[in-house]
Amino acid sequence: MAGQVGADHVGSGARRLRKPGWKDPRLLVGILLVAGSVAGTVGLVSARDRTVPMYVAKEDISFGEPVDASRLEVVDVRLDGTQEHYLPAGREPAAGTRANTLIRAGELVPLRGLGLDDGTTRKPVAVELEQTLPAAVVPGSRVDVWAAARDRTANAYGRPVILLPSAEVAAVSAVDSGFGGTSGAVVELLVEDDRMADLLAAVANEARVTVVHNPAGPASTGTGS
């Protein structure tokens, strides 16, 4: 009897340790889970590696200059869903299209930076600032330009007044301090002829110029009144 019990125990253990066959439901479920994980990973990598053909500038295109296919080239880029903001390949600019902002060589062509000749007299003017600019101040954005006249007798500055309301920014660059940091910025503004004298006079007389981001500025061309 004891021998029979021992044999039954060994047989039961052998059944528990038996390798699962191909028809075992647990094995099938495991295979499906692995296959699904692999397919999901491949799909995610493919989505991240997906590129679209877009136009970039072959050379610097300044404000007011014509923009046509001869000044552009096609590159494949990964934009992660932001391609609707830029000029896609195959969609050539309409005849008479001009740049409403500075487009650097190798940069994507922003749709908001393109427009037909609007007949304005705006010209780009570079203004050096002592302070760094907010991140929101980028080419195409609008800013209010304030100036505080320098009082040489008191070695101080007067009360700031607004010189240019809602001026459009054409370009922005940081000023290198020489110690691995920045000490200010240079902002290129698009200025109407009738506003030019006031701005140039302020710069020439060493007024303290401050640029304030104006998110409510108009999207159309012109610097406001």
Side-chain angles (χ1 to χ4, degrees):
M1 179 65 69
Q4 180 65 34
V5 171
D8 291 343
H9 180 73
V10 171
S12 175
R15 286 194 296 272
R16 288 197 300 269
L17 298 176
R18 186 174 56 192
K19 294 176 62 177
W22 284 105
K23 295 182 179 180
D24 191 308
R26 294 171 297 177
L27 181 60
L28 295 176
V29 170
I31 293 173
L32 291 175
L33 290 175
V34 172
S37 177
V38 171
T41 301
V42 171
L44 180 60
V45 171
S46 297
R48 289 182 175 178
D49 289 340
R50 188 176 302 141
T51 59
V52 291
M54 304 293 291
Y55 276 125
V56 299
K58 288 183 181 178
E59 56 193 4
D60 287 356
I61 304 175
S62 299
F63 169 77
E65 290 187 340
V67 180
D68 54 42
S70 67
R71 308 191 70 178
L72 308 174
E73 61 183 349
V74 177
V75 298
D76 291 327
V77 295
R78 186 172 64 246
L79 294 178
D80 298 328
T82 62
Q83 59 264 27
E84 67 271 13
H85 300 299
Y86 301 97
L87 185 66
R91 178 181 164 187
E92 292 188 8
T97 297
R98 294 182 178 274
N100 287 338
T101 187
L102 173 66
I103 305 174
R104 295 286 189 187
E107 289 184 349
L108 293 168
V109 180
L111 292 176
R112 66 179 297 179
L114 300 177
L116 299 177
D117 189 0
D118 60 5
T120 67
T121 60
R122 297 188 301 167
K123 297 179 177 65
V125 178
V127 179
E128 186 169 345
L129 307 173
E130 295 181 2
Q131 78 277 13
T132 57
L133 289 167
V137 178
V138 296
S141 63
R142 297 281 177 156
V143 295
D144 295 331
V145 181
W146 295 74
R150 183 175 183 180
D151 185 348
R152 299 181 185 277
T153 60
N155 195 26
Y157 293 89
R159 182 180 179 83
V161 296
I162 190 166
L163 287 182
L164 299 175
S166 192
E168 184 176 356
V169 176
V172 175
S173 60
V175 176
D176 190 353
S177 66
F179 297 96
T182 57
S183 59
V186 175
V187 58
E188 190 172 299
L189 304 171
L190 302 178
V191 184
E192 294 277 6
D193 284 347
D194 60 356
R195 302 270 183 175
M196 190 74 71
D198 291 339
L199 177 62
L200 296 180
V203 173
N205 289 292
E206 299 181 348
R208 176 170 290 170
V209 178
T210 303
V211 167
V212 180
H213 181 230
N214 181 358
S220 60
T221 55
T223 55
S225 57

